């Protein structure tokens, strides 16, 4: 007796399970009429401050909620709760990214029909979250002026997977000699045509334009769904 | 480092496939890995070894075929291989494009199965 290998064809997407759950979520979000935005960035870019300001502003006219992924603490959820929006923390343990099933579990018990916007703050990481679809309508990548203009070239996969980029901490731009044109061309090089906003969550400069963009995107989606 | 969870999915999915085929012994898993899949080949290879430990797949190989990025150029109206993932434009005419037609693959394409055969006397 001897053994010889035989090659059999399989063809299976490794992330099929996640993609299936994401598809179910997307349909669920669409049926409920909620516009879902996910946020990705490096640790320390200012996702939580940015989101706190966005939630506080949107809360005045819309029903909004947020999910926030973090490895170990619940500090971010506590901070975001100051906006008075419902916030749920997803503690990922040692996992470096959110997966669709975690989002599905987290929104259980929430009446999505009453929501206009749902924000999902991913774990601070520019590598791992890129492969996982969370069923969102819009993936937002944040880049702060303190990180350097070449971040998009170092992490092309995640910047390419995003739908919109926001350059934050613009109030510090001159202190760190931030080169906006270089950052802009690097972002466009890895994702041609991507809308890019620059703002300061701290001072509020540029926030208005971004909020207008978000509400316009939501209106477009609702108009398309109504046809 | 999400390669370990990816490797565990590969092991799980391969075991299911092996069981579905009557509990065959798998000696190698062939994977297509796109340059824009977000997964690093070297990290995946070592994660695969860890994920196989204490499973029927222990000792099996992961054969990775790296898939380059191909984009669609809206000006030339053809698919072109991308020269660099840091510059999404047509390598021929320079038109910017983010229409990826290949390079995001993360799929198990084939399994090498050990078959016991009668050796000639």
């Amino acid at each position: 007796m001897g053994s010889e290998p035989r090659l059999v064809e399989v063809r299976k997407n490794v992330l099929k399970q996640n993609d299936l759950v994401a598809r179910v979520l997307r349909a669920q979000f669409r049926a409920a009429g909620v516009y879902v935005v996910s946020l990705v960035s490096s640790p320390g870019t200012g996702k939580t401050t940015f989101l706190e300001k966005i939630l506080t502003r949107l809360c005045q006219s819309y029903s909004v909620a947020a999910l926030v992924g973090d490895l170990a603490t619940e500090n971010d959820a506590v901070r975001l709760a100051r906006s008075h929006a419902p916030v749920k923390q997803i503690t990922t343990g040692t996992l470096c990214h959110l997966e669709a099933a975690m989002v599905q579990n987290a929104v259980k018990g929430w009446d999505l029909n009453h929501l206009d916007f749902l924000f999902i703050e991913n774990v601070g990481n520019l590598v791992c979250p890129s492969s996982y679809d969370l069923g969102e309508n819009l993936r937002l990548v944040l880049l702060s002026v303190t990180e350097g203009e070449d971040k998009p070239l170092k992490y092309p996969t995640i910047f390419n997977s995003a739908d919109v980029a926001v350059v934050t901490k613009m109030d510090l731009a001159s202190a760190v000699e931030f080169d906006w044109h270089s950052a802009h061309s690097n972002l466009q090089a890895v994702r041609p045509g991507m809308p890019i906003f620059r703002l300061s969550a701290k001072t509020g400069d540029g926030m208005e334009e971004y909020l207008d963009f978000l509400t316009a995107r939501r209106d477009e989606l609702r108009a398309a769904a109504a046809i | 480092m999400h390669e370990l969870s990816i490797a565990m999915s590969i092991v799980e999915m391969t075991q299911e496939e092996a069981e579905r085929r009557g509990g065959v012994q798998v000696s190698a898993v062939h994977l297509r890995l796109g340059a824009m899949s977000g997964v690093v080949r070297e990290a995946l290879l070592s994660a695969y070894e860890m994920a196989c430990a204490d499973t029927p797949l222990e000792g099996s190989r992961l054969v990775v075929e790296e898939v380059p990025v191909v984009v669609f150029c809206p000006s030339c109206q053809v698919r072109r291989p991308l020269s660099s993932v840091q510059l999404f434009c047509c390598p021929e005419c320079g038109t910017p494009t983010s229409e990826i037609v290949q390079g995001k693959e993360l799929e198990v394409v084939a399994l090498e199965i050990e078959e016991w055969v009668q050796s000639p006397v």
Side-chain angles (χ1 to χ4, degrees):
Chain A
M1 289 273 278
S3 77
E4 56 183 46
R6 182 168 66 95
L7 203 63
V8 292
E9 203 176 313
V10 182
R11 291 219 166 266
K12 274 194 174 165
N13 178 1
V14 177
L15 293 171
K16 190 175 151 211
Q17 195 51 41
N18 186 78
D19 291 349
L20 284 175
V21 177
R23 199 179 305 164
V24 170
L25 274 176
R26 191 165 279 117
Q28 199 182 336
F29 293 148
R30 189 185 171 88
V34 54
Y35 192 72
V36 184
V37 181
S38 77
L39 285 83
V40 291
S41 82
S42 314
T45 300
K47 278 191 300 301
T48 310
T49 302
F50 171 73
L51 193 52
E52 186 184 342
K53 297 291 168 72
I54 292 279
L55 293 178
T56 307
R57 289 296 307 276
L58 285 176
C59 266
Q60 295 164 9
S61 334
Y62 296 95
S63 168
V64 294
L67 298 175
V68 44
D70 201 346
L71 294 178
T73 73
E74 296 209 347
N75 299 349
D76 288 356
V78 172
R79 279 172 65 192
L80 290 176
R82 296 194 299 222
S83 68
H84 302 296
V87 176
K88 200 178 273 181
Q89 178 92 38
I90 305 175
T91 308
T92 59
T94 56
L95 204 62
C96 47
H97 60 271
L98 290 180
E99 295 188 7
M102 298 173 175
V103 173
Q104 194 175 41
N105 277 333
V107 297
K108 264 181 205 157
W110 270 359
D111 185 359
L112 296 173
N113 292 307
H114 287 137
L115 285 180
D116 297 314
F117 286 99
L118 171 66
F119 292 88
I120 305 172
E121 181 184 331
N122 217 315
V123 179
N125 186 325
L126 281 181
V127 182
C128 312
S130 65
S131 313
Y132 297 87
D133 184 359
L134 302 179
E136 69 268 61
N137 298 105
L138 189 82
R139 183 182 280 186
L140 157 73
V141 62
L142 270 98
L143 169 70
S144 66
V145 299
T146 54
E147 291 169 62
E149 300 84 1
D150 59 349
K151 234 7 172 341
L153 302 182
K154 290 179 177 169
Y155 300 92
T157 305
I158 195 132
F159 280 93
N160 180 275
S161 78
D163 304 297
V164 57
V166 168
V167 179
T168 57
K169 303 188 188 177
M170 281 303 290
D171 51 302
L172 299 175
S174 61
V176 297
E177 295 179 352
F178 178 73
D179 181 347
W180 159 252
H181 292 288
S182 161
H184 188 273
S185 71
N186 290 340
L187 284 164
Q188 290 296 331
V190 295
R191 181 72 155 95
M194 174 158 67
I196 306 169
F197 293 86
R198 47 181 162 170
L199 51 85
S200 164
K202 190 179 165 192
T203 66
D205 278 350
M207 288 293 275
E208 223 45 58
E209 287 85 345
Y210 182 67
L211 287 164
D212 289 347
F213 166 81
L214 269 190
T215 50
R217 279 296 181 99
R218 176 180 170 269
D219 293 345
E220 273 169 36
L221 187 85
R222 286 177 83 98
I227 294 167
Chain B
M1 169 70 187
H2 61 313
E3 277 78 3
L4 187 58
S5 46
I6 301 276
M8 284 163 76
S9 301
I10 296 173
V11 169
E12 197 178 313
M13 140 188 293
T14 303
Q15 275 186 274
E16 275 170 23
E17 190 62 29
E19 273 161 40
R20 209 174 61 80
R21 290 171 186 271
V24 290
Q25 179 68 39
V26 175
S27 57
V29 177
H30 290 237
L31 183 86
R32 272 168 66 83
L33 185 64
M36 295 291 285
S37 66
V39 174
V40 180
R41 182 177 175 270
E42 288 70 27
L44 184 63
L45 288 173
S46 38
Y48 179 78
E49 234 181 271
M50 284 193 262
C52 284
D54 301 320
T55 77
L57 282 170
E58 188 159 350
S60 67
R61 290 173 301 128
L62 183 65
V63 182
V64 177
E65 180 201 341
E66 286 180 281
V67 183
V69 182
V70 174
V71 290
F72 181 78
C73 173
S75 299
C76 309
Q77 288 284 311
V78 287
R79 298 164 160 225
R80 304 261 194 216
L82 201 65
S83 353
S84 159
V85 292
Q86 290 163 332
L87 189 57
F88 274 77
C89 68
C90 173
E92 294 297 321
C93 73
T95 304
T97 173
S98 45
E99 206 178 315
I100 299 177
V101 292
Q102 180 193 286
K104 288 192 166 182
E105 293 79 358
L106 181 56
E107 52 176 8
V108 172
V109 287
L111 302 178
E112 275 178 41
I113 288 172
E114 290 297 324
E115 281 193 318
W116 294 95
V117 291
Q118 203 73 44
S119 36
V121 182

